[in-house]
């Protein structure tokens, strides 16, 4: 078997094991929730549907962090950790879609939209939108609870006071803080000092996305396997800039991505009012009237297609898109340099390199 085949087989086996773990976990909780009431089934169904798809980036980062620190490829602990990360990711996605008023997720209705549609098809009373959002908040909260249960199931290596537990707790707190900074910037950004907009946007992506997408999952796997503090620092030097490149690419796709590939409408981030690094750079580099145009239109849920095209034009012609691509390349280069310096066996190093390449150059 070639090294490439070994990597592919090992990674596929882990992804399948995480899928099986999630299925077993949710099936066991389904029986508990059904005993409360069969009416809970749509919430469980929405969670199951969400954790079925996705790229498993966080679970895979955790796995290769585990393997890089000498962890056994057949161990159950890292599979359970991967499942816990996927459940946390599902919670974050559910709540993020509510906050962003996003009606789609992976090419289909978002969870709050599914519950609004359920309300309509059943002919229930009162407001369908309010019901959809309330039900989705509870579904997200249940995912958070399930994520904690799954992580606790790892056992002693994830016990209170362990390095893995401290990383897991910090990851969750930072995501909530970053999410708040994001919604704060949407409402306060237009009246704040524009000179600090890029710095604020970079802080948001670091804590809302970059750390929990790559840095913390990689460190979590390493900590579970008993990695040294030096190796964990090396993991961070690689994974944090990778996560920042990942989110910057996501921001570009949110404005310029193909809906058939991204699964979201064109210009969705502009309708949601996201003050990303891309947008902050455009506001800083465009002419006064053009910046005023972006400020006036950003966050409008009924943003017209011609307005999206005009904002895209401003972003491109101001140099903001090019500047963002430069940042992506710089963060990517820093990540790859740090990866080469890591004292890892060739298999985990190659796996992390491929994950990094896919993350930086992705189209969805």
């Amino acid at each position: 078997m070639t090294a490439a085949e070994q990597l592919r087989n090992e990674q596929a086996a882990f992804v399948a094991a995480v899928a099986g773990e999630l299925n077993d976990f949710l099936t066991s909780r389904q029986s508990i929730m059904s005993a409360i009431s069969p009416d809970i089934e749509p919430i469980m169904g929405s969670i199951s549907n969400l954790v079925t798809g996705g790229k498993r980036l966080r679970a895979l980062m955790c796995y290769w962090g585990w393997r890089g620190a000498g962890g056994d490829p057949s161990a159950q602990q890292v599979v359970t950790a991967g499942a816990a990360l996927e459940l946390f990711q599902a919670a974050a996605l559910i709540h993020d879609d509510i906050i962003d008023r996003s009606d789609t997720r992976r090419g289909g209705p978002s969870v709050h939209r599914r519950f609004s549609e359920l309300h309509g098809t059943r002919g229930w009373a009162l407001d369908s939108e309010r019901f959809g959002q309330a039900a989705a908040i509870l579904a997200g909260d249940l995912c958070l609870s399930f994520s904690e249960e799954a992580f606790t199931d790892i056992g002693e290596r994830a016990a209170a006071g362990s390095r893995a537990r401290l990383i897991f707790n910090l990851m969750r707190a930072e995501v909530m803080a970053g999410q708040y900074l994001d919604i704060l910037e949407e409402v306060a950004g237009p009246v704040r000092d524009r000179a600090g907009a890029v710095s604020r946007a970079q802080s948001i992506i670091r804590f809302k996305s970059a750390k929990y997408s790559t840095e913390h999952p990689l460190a979590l796997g390493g900590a579970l396997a008993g990695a040294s503090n030096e190796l964990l620092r090396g993991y961070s030097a690689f994974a944090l800039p990778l996560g920042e490149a990942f989110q910057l690419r996501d921001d570009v796709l949110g404005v310029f991505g193909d809906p058939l590939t991204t699964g979201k409408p064109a210009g969705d981030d502009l309708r949601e009012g996201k003050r990303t690094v891309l947008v902050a750079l455009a506001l800083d580099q465009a002419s006064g009237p053009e910046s005023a145009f972006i400020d006036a239109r950003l966050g409008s849920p009924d943003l017209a297609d011609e307005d999206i095209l005009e904002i895209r034009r401003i972003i491109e012609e101001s140099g903001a898109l090019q500047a963002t691509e430069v940042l992506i390349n710089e963060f990517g280069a820093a990540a790859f340099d740090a990866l080469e310096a890591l004292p890892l066996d060739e298999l985990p190093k190659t796996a992390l390199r491929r994950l990094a390449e896919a993350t930086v150059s992705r189209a969805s």
Side-chain angles (χ1 to χ4, degrees):
M1 181 186 298
T2 67
E5 289 173 332
Q6 181 184 352
L7 191 160
R8 188 163 53 249
N9 292 343
E10 186 172 321
Q11 186 158 288
F14 171 72
V15 169
V18 170
E21 177 81 1
L22 286 167
N23 181 70
D24 292 347
F25 181 94
L26 291 176
T27 298
S28 69
R29 272 55 180 185
Q30 175 71 55
S31 62
I32 297 171
M33 302 305 285
S34 295
I36 297 172
S37 169
D39 288 336
I40 305 296
E41 195 280 329
I43 288 183
M44 295 300 295
S46 70
I47 294 172
S48 180
N49 179 72
L50 200 54
V51 301
T52 298
K55 301 177 181 67
R56 306 290 193 214
L57 171 63
R58 292 155 189 84
L60 285 168
M61 293 297 289
C62 181
Y63 178 73
W64 290 114
W66 163 273
R67 290 286 283 117
D72 183 346
S74 62
Q76 179 61 34
Q77 293 101 320
V78 70
V79 174
T80 304
L85 286 167
E86 290 296 314
L87 287 164
F88 178 71
Q89 163 73 346
L93 292 178
I94 293 170
H95 287 162
D96 199 44
D97 284 342
I98 297 169
I99 291 169
D100 291 340
R101 306 184 301 277
S102 181
D103 289 338
T104 59
R105 170 63 60 183
R106 294 173 182 162
S110 52
V111 171
H112 66 276
R113 179 54 52 202
R114 289 181 187 276
F115 279 108
S116 294
E117 291 172 355
L118 177 66
H119 181 287
T121 58
R122 299 291 176 86
W124 291 335
L126 304 179
D127 184 73
S128 63
E129 297 295 315
R130 181 176 173 82
F131 171 77
Q133 291 181 4
I137 289 170
L138 294 171
D141 287 349
L142 190 56
C143 272
L144 286 174
S145 176
F146 285 163
S147 176
E148 172 63 27
E149 284 187 59
F151 192 74
T152 301
D153 284 345
I154 294 170
E156 185 178 349
R157 298 190 191 204
S162 67
R163 285 188 302 170
R165 167 57 69 177
L166 293 174
I167 292 168
F168 190 69
N169 289 348
L170 179 62
M171 175 188 73
R172 294 181 297 170
E174 286 182 344
V175 169
M176 304 308 167
Q179 187 69 274
Y180 176 74
L181 292 176
D182 192 23
I183 63 170
L184 176 64
E185 187 65 15
E186 288 180 14
V187 297
V191 297
R192 279 180 158 180
D193 178 17
R194 186 167 288 172
V198 173
S199 176
R200 294 194 299 271
Q202 288 180 317
S203 180
I204 289 167
I205 67 170
R206 185 172 302 120
F207 291 103
K208 179 186 173 183
S209 177
K211 283 177 166 287
Y212 108 95
S213 295
T214 53
E215 183 190 24
H216 289 319
L218 186 66
L220 184 61
L224 287 170
S228 66
N229 289 332
E230 182 181 2
L231 180 57
L232 292 182
R233 285 192 292 270
Y235 277 177
S236 179
F238 157 66
L240 182 56
L242 176 64
E244 292 179 313
F246 171 85
Q247 185 56 47
L248 287 170
R249 176 60 63 204
D250 196 64
D251 293 344
V252 171
L253 292 171
V255 176
F256 294 96
D258 181 354
L260 295 177
T261 304
T262 64
K264 282 184 169 288
D268 211 33
D269 279 5
L270 302 176
R271 291 189 178 93
E272 293 167 6
K274 289 183 178 295
R275 290 185 173 264
T276 62
V277 171
L278 180 68
V279 168
L281 285 167
L283 289 169
D284 183 58
Q285 298 178 14
S287 68
E290 288 174 332
S291 294
F293 181 87
I294 294 176
D295 263 336
R297 302 298 196 280
L298 196 64
S300 174
D302 56 352
L303 192 67
D305 289 344
E306 55 267 29
D307 289 337
I308 290 175
L309 291 174
E310 176 62 9
I311 295 174
R312 282 176 169 175
R313 182 196 67 78
I314 294 170
I315 290 172
E316 285 191 83
E317 295 186 4
S318 68
L321 178 58
Q322 182 181 3
T324 303
E325 292 290 350
V326 168
L327 284 173
I328 292 171
N329 290 335
E330 288 176 349
F331 281 126
F336 287 116
D337 287 346
L339 176 60
E340 292 310 309
L342 284 173
L344 301 180
D345 290 341
E346 191 55 35
L347 185 67
K349 182 172 283 192
T350 300
L352 289 173
R353 186 183 300 112
R354 291 186 178 180
L355 281 175
E357 290 168 350
T359 294
V360 173
S361 62
R362 68 198 178 96
S364 64

